[in-house]
Amino acid sequence: MNRIVVLPGDGIGPEVTAQAVRVLEHVAQQQGIELECVEEQIGGASIDALGTPLRDEVVALCRQSQAVLLGAVGGPAWDAMAVDVRPEKGLLKIRKELGLFANLRPAAVIPALADASTLRPEVVKGIDLLVVRELTGGIYFGEPKGRGESGGVRRAWNTMVYDEHEVARIARVAFEQARLRRNHLTHVHKANVLDVSQLWMDVVEEVAKDYSDVELVHQLVDSCAMLLVRDPGRFDVIVTGNLFGDILSDQAAEITGSLGMLPSASLATGGFGLYEPVHGSAPDIAGHDKANPLAAILSVAMLLETSLECPAGAAAVRDAVASVLGAGHRTADLLLEGEQREVVGCVAMGDHVLAALGDA
Ligand code: IPM
Ligand code: MG
């Protein structure tokens, strides 16, 4: 029996995960996978009900599971809270406690939606890149950190720190991914300023010796940000630390123009992973059946592929999504300006994907 912990979270999280779970259960049945989905709380929902963004019991349950499917966390209701008790803390805690060090964020242009990007079509054409972001180290977790005051002057500090093992293991994940794709890896750094980046340079070069079939390029983070909008087609796999990866993965997602379509995986060693849509909790549309569940559904494809080792199920989900879009079904976020189409809601989009998957 495969246990999947479902953490719907806040905003549109519960709506999109509900559709994703329907799809997961349907495909599991088709593929003969025994599945048990257990729902728990995280983020603002957990703060309101239980006084903490993530209970230790939930972390323990995740440890006894195959994978976690997460919706989204956060929203204006909790924005005024201190960093240590905010909904986002639940996310950081689950990443750290479960050792989810490898964050995979693919950003590809879906042909049917190519016009959705704010970039010119000839720039967007063929974007198919993968950001591999280190997720449990760097400035997000480094010590010392804190705030203080001396002589009437307020100060605050965080520490960007990586050891060579942390760098080597994420570099290996990135090289392996590059091998599955177009054999090209861009390491993003700030080695002209940061000692941490100089260590990354050295270690990535050392790991590269085992991957002579993969072409490696080192790129400064500021120029990478520029190239991502000027010539995104040049990128295949990008590997970088936690903070740069946070920023560049949002940028990479947005240039596709279809944030509502992008899944992600956060992996530990040994196949365990947490899967979530890249889009946030979108509190403005929450509760109105307007959300696009496809990013959550495509996250299920990643879950099937990696944590349940069922590539056939993953392919079935991706094919179903492509055929639903090909048939012209669109949630509101996917509608182009001036486009005259009937808009479907979150549940109806889930229905269409289930129909495209065929009988269980
Ligand atoms: C992300 C988010 C999180 C991060 C926040 C919500 C803590 O922006 O997953 O990219 O910074 O990692
Ligand atoms: Mg982010």
Side-chain angles (χ1 to χ4, degrees):
M1 175 66 77
N2 297 287
R3 182 183 295 143
I4 310 295
V5 178
V6 181
L7 303 174
D10 307 321
I12 59 171
E15 293 165 65
V16 298
T17 42
Q19 299 314 311
V21 168
R22 286 174 77 201
V23 169
L24 176 60
E25 288 178 336
H26 190 87
V27 173
Q29 211 174 341
Q30 285 179 327
Q31 301 288 333
I33 299 172
E34 282 196 54
L35 205 69
E36 181 200 18
C37 292
V38 188
E39 194 171 310
E40 277 292 346
Q41 287 181 324
I42 191 169
S46 178
I47 293 175
D48 289 350
L50 307 154
T52 166
L54 182 67
R55 289 178 307 138
D56 293 332
E57 292 86 331
V58 177
V59 176
L61 181 69
C62 293
R63 283 190 214 286
Q64 292 154 25
S65 309
Q66 234 63 39
V68 178
L69 181 65
L70 189 138
V73 300
W78 308 280
D79 270 354
M81 301 179 101
V83 278
D84 256 27
V85 288
R86 291 169 66 101
E88 289 83 353
K89 189 72 187 177
L91 204 53
L92 298 177
K93 176 172 167 178
I94 201 167
R95 288 174 182 170
K96 192 71 177 173
E97 299 254 330
L98 300 176
L100 303 168
F101 71 95
N103 185 211
L104 273 45
R105 297 187 168 180
V109 167
I110 296 170
L113 304 173
D115 292 337
S117 175
T118 53
L119 300 183
R120 287 201 309 271
E122 67 268 25
V123 177
V124 170
K125 196 164 168 272
I127 295 180
D128 179 8
L129 61 89
L130 171 70
V131 178
V132 177
R133 167 190 177 193
E134 200 292 327
L135 203 59
T136 51
I139 199 163
Y140 272 57
F141 296 97
E143 300 279 350
K145 62 171 182 177
R147 293 178 61 145
E149 190 179 323
S150 69
V153 179
R154 290 172 296 162
R155 294 175 69 231
W157 55 94
N158 291 93
T159 305
M160 187 185 279
V161 53
Y162 274 108
D163 72 36
E164 59 178 311
H165 303 297
E166 292 175 295
V167 180
R169 71 176 177 175
I170 193 71
R172 282 193 188 281
V173 169
F175 276 109
E176 292 292 337
Q177 290 294 322
R179 268 191 180 158
L180 298 173
R181 298 167 49 97
R182 301 191 301 278
N183 291 68
H184 190 279
L185 178 63
T186 306
H187 161 234
V188 175
H189 65 92
K190 189 71 184 172
N192 53 351
V193 177
L194 302 177
D195 299 280
V196 170
S197 288
Q198 286 166 11
L199 176 71
W200 272 73
M201 281 284 220
D202 295 347
V203 175
V204 170
E205 280 292 338
E206 285 156 26
V207 173
K209 294 195 178 104
D210 293 339
Y211 298 90
S212 54
D213 51 325
V214 176
E215 190 187 342
L216 172 66
V217 173
H218 300 281
Q219 190 76 52
L220 283 162
V221 62
D222 48 355
S223 66
C224 179
M226 212 168 58
L227 289 169
L228 265 174
V229 284
R230 193 169 76 196
D231 181 22
R234 71 162 63 205
F235 294 101
D236 179 12
V237 179
I238 291 176
V239 66
T240 191
N242 207 340
L243 181 62
F244 298 161
D246 177 45
I247 299 164
L248 293 179
S249 62
D250 263 25
Q251 191 184 346
E254 191 54 47
I255 57 179
T256 69
S258 316
L259 197 58
M261 295 298 304
L262 301 177
S264 77
S266 303
L267 307 176
T269 43
F272 180 85
L274 177 150
Y275 301 83
E276 62 179 314
V278 166
H279 62 68
S281 57
D284 51 322
I285 59 163
H288 296 289
D289 191 37
K290 284 187 180 163
N292 179 355
L294 294 179
I297 288 170
L298 290 169
S299 298
V300 160
M302 292 184 94
L303 186 159
L304 281 159
E305 187 159 55
T306 307
S307 290
L308 296 179
E309 290 175 41
C310 179
V317 172
R318 291 181 183 127
D319 288 350
V321 168
S323 90
V324 165
L325 291 172
H329 303 298
R330 300 283 187 274
T331 43
D333 60 302
L334 298 177
L335 215 61
L336 300 178
E337 222 176 280
E339 202 176 23
Q340 299 295 326
R341 277 184 204 266
E342 192 197 337
V343 168
V344 303
C346 186
V347 177
M349 192 53 122
D351 291 342
H352 284 304
V353 175
L354 285 180
L357 281 165
D359 291 340

